[in-house]
Amino acid sequence: MNDTDDDTDGEGDPNDGWPITDDDAFDEADSAEDTDPDGTEETPDADEPEPTDDLPDGIDSSLDTEGVDSSVDLDTGGVDIDRMLEDDGDSQGLFDDLMAGEPIFSNKEVLRPSYTPHELPHRTDQINQMATILVSALRGDTPSNILIYGKTGTGKTASAKFVSQELESTSEKYDVPCEVEYINCEITDTQYRVLAQLANKFIEKNREIVGDRLDELRELRSAAADGDESTLADTEFDSVEAVDEKIAELEDDREEMEEVPMTGWPTDRVYTKFFDAIDYHERVVVIMLDEIDKLVEKSGDDTLYNLSRMNSELETSRISIMGISNDLKFTDFLDPRVKSSLGEEEIVFPPYDANQLRDILQHRSDVAFKEDALTDDVIPLCAAFAAQEHGDARRALDLLRTAGELAERSQAETVEEQHVRQAQDKIELDRVVEVVRTLPTQSKIVLFATILLEKNGVHNINTGEVFNIYKRLCEEIDADVLTQRRVTDLISELDMLGIVNAVVVSKGRYGRTKEISLSVPIEETEHVLLSDSRLGDIENAQPFVQARFDN
């Protein structure tokens, strides 16, 4: 007996444990009739007429469909998805309310650090000093190398980029081949990457030059080949064959201009490629190395040594180096020969005071905001906050931009003092979050131990208490346990970063100890720490602290 006969008794299939209904048996019987004994599906008889439609039995195919929703496809019994999407394609109004208010900004990009203004207040002396050094490039001579020092946000990079733009535009005006190439050494921080990036920039420019020259020569050859020999009169060519030879030479040159991969080549090969690319035709090149101290810190002074010695080997081109650094002492670690050649000219950018910051903010806000969008106390307050941060103009601009964004989000018509104070808190919290997020794992555990103690009402926490909780946390997440002396060093590092406040106090005959307190918001800091995959394994740290007190 086959399976269908067994199933019709209503006992159900022993494999699925569910009773078979009469309808199920009927369906299976139907399927058995349509199947050959070998399990293959039966083909309809050729003489049997095919059904005219696929409607279920009992439904008249001539049924009037008027009034039926046309989004339902009667042929397939399904839903016309395209039609439904068209019906529901209207916006749900998510951004309508946000767009309803009047915008406060007219050009927010003016307030970003990447923007290079057309005028830099209170940096005229430094700009003029750079211009007097670099003007020799417009005469075809090699400018002196320049080192620019100054704290963050003192206008070093903006001033250098401003002078560079002026230099390139003037070189085009006087048809002098002069170029400036900018490298951020915080990102491009090895000799290989610096040389590869520079080489590829000049290779790309050389290809464009060769391409333009080939177009000119092909037009010249075409005119000369048509019988107009006079077209060669004022050129370096005396025949069409000479033009063909030059075209073939340039095509070979372009084929050899292979880009340098960002990894994989020996450094000397990359250097040779860069040397050949920069010396392909006559030009004066200023290489601007921003955050140059990061390059020296990561890969030593080999890059600066090679670049500063290139002019003695170049035949047609000349290069000058402009280094920008926040560290006034980074040259102390340089080879004396590099230091003497690199620091031919030094320019120092002093911090801005509150009045200078006010001028800068006023100058930018006239372009960034719509008229009357700022109340009178916004710019002075931003300048005052930034002046406390060592005269950092970048901080002042971030503060003003963030205050404007907060005002715009709250759909306020103007930026007011309260928005500046909210922006100050937000920027400070963002800074703390970033610092905590990038801490090493051991420092995070020490900080988390301090947070647990403070959350449980412990004040004036000492190093021993932190160390006891630290050990329990390390055992919980299976981390190495450092010595108490090393944990004390980590607490000092957290103090230096401004995350905790550690003060050495005397306990009389009991010796001295550090009293530790948090300098950052507890909830936000704890959230950042628990986002770490290792610390996230701590399910319930409360008993650790309680056990410490019980002992």
Side-chain angles (χ1 to χ4, degrees):
M1 184 179 290
N2 60 24
D3 291 342
T4 54
D5 294 334
D6 291 336
D7 290 339
T8 55
D9 59 5
E11 296 290 331
D13 190 343
N15 291 330
D16 57 27
W18 292 94
I20 297 292
T21 64
D22 292 339
D23 290 340
D24 293 331
F26 178 73
D27 291 341
E28 291 197 12
D30 281 347
S31 63
E33 289 178 15
D34 294 337
T35 308
D36 281 338
D38 61 359
T40 59
E41 193 173 311
E42 235 182 16
T43 57
D45 190 282
D47 298 331
E48 184 178 345
E50 293 186 2
T52 56
D53 54 64
D54 296 329
L55 294 177
D57 294 340
I59 297 181
D60 187 359
S61 61
S62 63
L63 179 67
D64 185 8
T65 57
E66 184 178 356
V68 177
D69 187 352
S70 60
S71 66
V72 178
D73 189 346
L74 293 177
D75 288 338
T76 61
V79 176
D80 186 348
I81 300 299
D82 292 336
R83 175 66 182 276
M84 296 296 289
L85 287 175
E86 286 179 8
D87 291 344
D88 294 338
D90 294 337
S91 169
Q92 300 299 309
L94 177 62
F95 294 97
D96 290 345
D97 292 339
L98 298 174
M99 292 293 292
E102 284 293 324
I104 290 177
F105 292 101
S106 57
N107 185 2
K108 191 192 297 186
E109 298 305 311
V110 173
L111 300 176
R112 297 195 183 275
S114 57
Y115 175 77
T116 303
H118 300 295
E119 182 181 346
L120 286 157
H122 306 293
R123 285 295 176 252
T124 306
D125 292 343
Q126 288 79 9
I127 289 172
N128 288 337
Q129 196 174 347
M130 276 189 274
T132 55
I133 297 169
L134 296 176
V135 69
S136 57
L138 298 174
R139 303 189 182 106
D141 300 326
T142 307
S144 299
N145 296 326
I146 306 173
L147 275 182
I148 299 173
Y149 299 103
K151 291 184 177 293
T152 302
T154 52
K156 303 182 303 297
T157 303
S159 299
K161 286 185 174 181
F162 174 78
V163 173
S164 300
Q165 290 175 0
E166 288 289 309
L167 180 66
E168 288 188 322
S169 61
T170 309
S171 69
E172 292 177 5
K173 177 181 176 181
Y174 291 101
D175 196 21
V176 178
C178 183
E179 303 169 16
V180 180
E181 295 298 338
Y182 174 84
I183 300 287
N184 186 343
C185 297
E186 192 165 17
I187 301 170
T188 312
D189 57 357
T190 64
Q191 180 177 205
Y192 186 103
R193 291 178 182 174
V194 169
L195 295 176
Q197 187 169 329
L198 288 170
N200 288 337
K201 285 183 177 182
F202 288 111
I203 287 170
E204 183 180 352
K205 290 184 177 182
N206 292 342
R207 282 177 174 171
E208 292 176 1
I209 292 170
V210 170
D212 293 341
R213 182 61 176 152
L214 283 172
D215 291 340
E216 293 174 3
L217 291 177
R218 286 176 182 136
E219 289 181 8
L220 180 66
R221 187 203 180 283
S222 177
D226 290 341
D228 187 3
E229 295 288 344
S230 61
T231 55
L232 301 177
D234 296 329
T235 67
E236 59 185 290
F237 307 106
D238 54 6
S239 65
V240 174
E241 289 74 16
V243 177
D244 289 338
E245 290 177 5
K246 186 63 177 178
I247 289 174
E249 178 187 336
L250 290 174
E251 287 176 342
D252 290 341
D253 287 348
R254 189 164 62 177
E255 286 295 323
E256 293 176 0
M257 291 177 184
E258 175 189 6
E259 286 195 356
V260 180
M262 293 315 291
T263 56
W265 283 12
T267 305
D268 58 345
R269 182 182 175 189
V270 181
Y271 178 80
T272 302
K273 199 74 175 177
F274 165 62
F275 183 92
D276 293 340
I278 201 172
D279 208 31
Y280 184 73
H281 72 90
E282 182 181 356
R283 62 183 126 197
V284 178
V285 178
V286 178
I287 299 175
M288 190 191 307
L289 299 174
D290 200 358
E291 307 285 355
I292 190 174
D293 51 297
K294 299 292 192 301
L295 176 64
V296 175
E297 180 183 327
K298 179 73 179 288
S299 58
D301 56 10
D302 290 345
T303 312
L304 302 181
Y305 180 82
N306 289 330
L307 292 176
S308 63
R309 290 288 185 271
M310 277 186 68
N311 284 328
S312 60
E313 304 173 26
L314 292 170
E315 295 181 1
T316 60
S317 298
R318 293 289 179 267
I319 70 166
S320 172
I321 301 172
M322 181 188 294
I324 303 173
S325 174
N326 299 330
D327 185 1
L328 278 68
K329 297 182 179 179
F330 95 95
T331 54
D332 295 346
F333 304 102
L334 295 177
D335 184 285
R337 294 169 297 173
V338 178
K339 184 177 180 180
S340 62
S341 63
L342 188 63
E344 293 173 336
E345 299 280 354
E346 294 186 354
I347 302 174
V348 178
F349 280 66
Y352 294 108
D353 60 32
N355 291 329
Q356 291 173 335
L357 288 172
R358 191 181 305 177
D359 292 341
I360 293 169
L361 292 178
Q362 188 64 58
H363 187 264
R364 297 280 188 102
S365 66
D366 290 341
V367 182
F369 291 95
K370 295 201 169 182
E371 191 175 356
D372 298 328
L374 304 179
T375 58
D376 294 339
D377 51 359
V378 167
I379 287 179
L381 187 58
C382 289
F385 278 139
Q388 298 172 6
E389 301 279 341
H390 311 294
D392 188 343
R394 188 176 303 174
R395 175 62 178 268
L397 292 168
D398 283 344
L399 195 57
L400 183 59
R401 176 177 51 79
T402 305
E405 290 173 347
L406 292 174
E408 203 168 54
R409 288 172 196 169
S410 63
Q411 296 188 350
E413 295 181 357
T414 57
V415 184
E416 300 175 0
E417 177 185 343
Q418 60 174 342
H419 298 124
V420 178
R421 296 192 182 278
Q422 291 172 7
Q424 171 79 347
D425 294 339
K426 182 179 184 299
I427 290 175
E428 185 63 27
L429 181 60
D430 290 346
R431 185 192 71 82
V432 169
V433 167
E434 183 61 23
V435 170
V436 172
R437 189 183 62 81
T438 55
L439 285 174
T441 301
Q442 290 288 349
S443 296
K444 287 181 177 179
I445 300 173
V446 172
L447 178 59
F448 194 61
T450 310
I451 288 175
L452 290 176
L453 288 164
E454 282 223 357
K455 285 184 68 176
N456 283 271
V458 183
H459 302 294
N460 299 325
I461 305 166
N462 61 50
T463 308
E465 290 171 328
V466 172
F467 183 69
N468 286 334
I469 307 302
Y470 161 81
K471 285 193 299 183
R472 300 292 297 272
L473 292 175
C474 287
E475 293 168 3
E476 178 70 15
I477 65 174
D478 195 23
D480 295 334
V481 179
L482 303 178
T483 63
Q484 186 163 344
R485 175 181 288 275
R486 181 64 186 127
V487 169
T488 303
D489 292 339
L490 293 179
I491 292 172
S492 298
E493 291 176 9
L494 294 173
D495 181 26
M496 184 181 65
L497 291 170
I499 298 174
V500 302
N501 183 29
V503 181
V504 178
V505 295
S506 174
K507 296 293 184 179
R509 63 193 180 97
Y510 297 105
R512 297 189 306 167
T513 186
K514 280 187 176 180
E515 288 191 349
I516 307 156
S517 60
L518 283 172
S519 303
V520 294
I522 291 181
E523 298 297 331
E524 290 82 355
T525 307
E526 184 180 17
H527 178 73
V528 175
L529 290 175
L530 291 177
S531 66
D532 187 295
S533 57
R534 294 199 68 179
L535 272 68
D537 295 338
I538 302 174
E539 295 181 359
N540 185 7
Q542 185 73 20
F544 300 154
V545 182
Q546 194 59 47
R548 157 75 183 77
F549 294 147
D550 291 344
N551 291 335

